[in-house]
Amino acid sequence: MKTLADRLLAKTTPGPTGCVIWTGNTNSNSYPRLAIDGRAKNAQRIAHELFVGPIPEGHTVGRTCHQVDLSCKGGVTCLHRRCINPGHLFVMTSAEAGKSGRSFGGTLATRTHCMHGHLFDEANTFIRGTGARQCRACRRTWARDARLRSAERAEQRKQAFGDLYAAQQGFVTGVVLAEVRDRNFALAEDLTAEAFIRAWKAWPKCRATTDAQVRAWLRTIARHTVIDHYRVKRNTVETATDPTAWQYANQPVEQSGGCYSVRSGRQLTPA
């Protein structure tokens, strides 16, 4: 009966620079796989455990033949991925594996300067929570550019809303004036201003693209502004501010005349 070592060596062939190349099955990344008890396992780990020693938990197997061969570009075509020569195998942590070799992570870890030429020294290096390095000078540039873009967008928003106000003020005033009682022009002006304040707050969420859609959107806001005004007025009780009146026995009253709102507790100025 074949031993595990016999099965392992039966699927190999000599390779360049002393490599022992695996000829059996591989996974999608070209790493050698050997089935043991119906489960496919990494043949390099098996070779290391058989001929070198156990692999500590949290460690993986590296290959010195790949590290010294600078002509190898790596990837799935890398011949060293299929090398199971015990003399070429060594153990390292997963973090060390990510920083070693010519992988993308390894290349980044060995850089001395960022992509814009700033030195990765102690003062200029920011370590993210993932352990990745970032250039502090570049981070400051990104933050400044982000602030400038935000300010530019805010200015564009103000300009667009200013154009909207100039074009639709008369329309909104007409909608409000048609809704207020007794055609109170002073009240209509106040509610028009309130309607545009509400429109400004809702402006980022407005999806209207045509003049008709914009007017329908403003009409809805204007009508709700008038409705809310009369709803608040209907639920507010106004009485004279006479400190001797019994209804003010337990409420602070300002001696400024006018009316007092029992519902809101605010001093109301005379009309």
Side-chain angles (χ1 to χ4, degrees), residues 89-102:
L89 304 178
F90 66 97
V91 295
M92 57 182 172
T93 64
S94 299
E96 292 171 340
K99 297 179 181 180
S100 66
R102 289 175 296 285

Side-chain angles (χ1 to χ4, degrees), residues 181 187 229-242 245-248 251 253 257-271:
R181 300 168 187 170
L187 178 60
H229 166 75
Y230 285 113
R231 179 184 296 116
V232 172
K233 187 175 182 179
R234 183 174 63 249
N235 294 331
T236 301
V237 178
E238 297 181 358
T239 56
T241 55
D242 181 5
W246 63 268
Q247 59 264 45
Y248 294 101
Q251 299 185 37
V253 179
C259 297
Y260 187 91
S261 172
V262 176
R263 178 174 179 270
S264 63
R266 295 183 301 171
Q267 182 74 25
L268 303 180
T269 58

Side-chain angles (χ1 to χ4, degrees), residues 2-242:
K2 286 186 177 181
T3 63
L4 182 58
D6 293 336
R7 290 182 57 201
L8 194 69
L9 297 176
K11 298 178 182 290
T12 60
T13 186
T17 63
C19 289
V20 178
I21 305 302
W22 177 259
T23 59
N25 294 329
T26 61
N27 63 10
S28 59
N29 293 320
S30 296
Y31 288 107
R33 309 291 285 179
L34 180 66
I36 299 178
D37 297 331
R39 297 183 61 184
K41 296 186 178 181
N42 187 295
Q44 291 171 335
R45 295 180 66 92
I46 297 173
H48 191 281
E49 292 174 343
L50 282 176
F51 302 110
V52 181
I55 300 173
E57 184 178 356
H59 287 63
T60 186
V61 177
R63 305 166 309 284
T64 57
C65 52
H66 175 68
Q67 293 187 335
V68 300
D69 186 3
L70 299 181
S71 63
C72 179
K73 296 182 179 180
V76 294
T77 60
C78 173
L79 190 66
H80 307 106
R81 289 195 177 191
R82 292 184 283 133
C83 176
I84 65 169
N85 184 348
H88 292 181
L89 304 178
F90 66 97
V91 295
M92 57 182 172
T93 64
S94 299
E96 292 171 340
K99 297 179 181 180
S100 66
R102 289 175 296 285
S103 64
F104 180 72
T107 302
L108 291 179
T110 57
R111 286 182 179 176
T112 58
H113 294 73
C114 75
M115 62 184 298
H116 295 106
H118 303 126
L119 178 65
F120 273 129
D121 57 11
E122 183 177 355
N124 191 48
T125 303
F126 175 79
I127 307 299
R128 302 183 61 183
T130 59
R133 299 182 301 170
Q134 278 191 333
C135 171
R136 291 186 181 274
C138 290
R139 282 172 60 90
R140 288 192 293 269
T141 301
W142 297 334
R144 185 186 66 244
D145 293 344
R147 288 194 297 270
L148 290 176
R149 289 193 298 270
S150 178
E152 183 179 356
R153 288 193 297 268
E155 187 61 32
Q156 292 174 350
R157 179 189 172 199
K158 290 179 182 179
Q159 182 63 41
F161 192 81
D163 295 341
L164 173 72
Y165 179 82
Q168 304 296 340
Q169 180 186 13
F171 170 75
V172 174
T173 301
V175 172
V176 173
L177 191 59
E179 297 289 335
V180 298
R181 300 168 187 170
D182 302 325
R183 295 190 64 84
N184 188 331
F185 289 96
L187 178 60
E189 289 181 354
D190 293 341
L191 294 181
T192 298
E194 174 65 23
F196 273 107
I197 291 174
R198 294 188 180 190
W200 166 255
K201 293 178 180 179
W203 182 239
K205 298 180 180 180
C206 179
R207 296 296 180 264
T209 56
T210 64
D211 288 343
Q213 292 174 343
V214 170
R215 289 198 168 198
W217 178 67
L218 289 173
R219 183 185 295 109
T220 301
I221 293 177
R223 286 177 173 174
H224 279 90
T225 302
V226 177
I227 292 171
D228 290 345
H229 166 75
Y230 285 113
R231 179 184 296 116
V232 172
K233 187 175 182 179
R234 183 174 63 249
N235 294 331
T236 301
V237 178
E238 297 181 358
T239 56
T241 55
D242 181 5

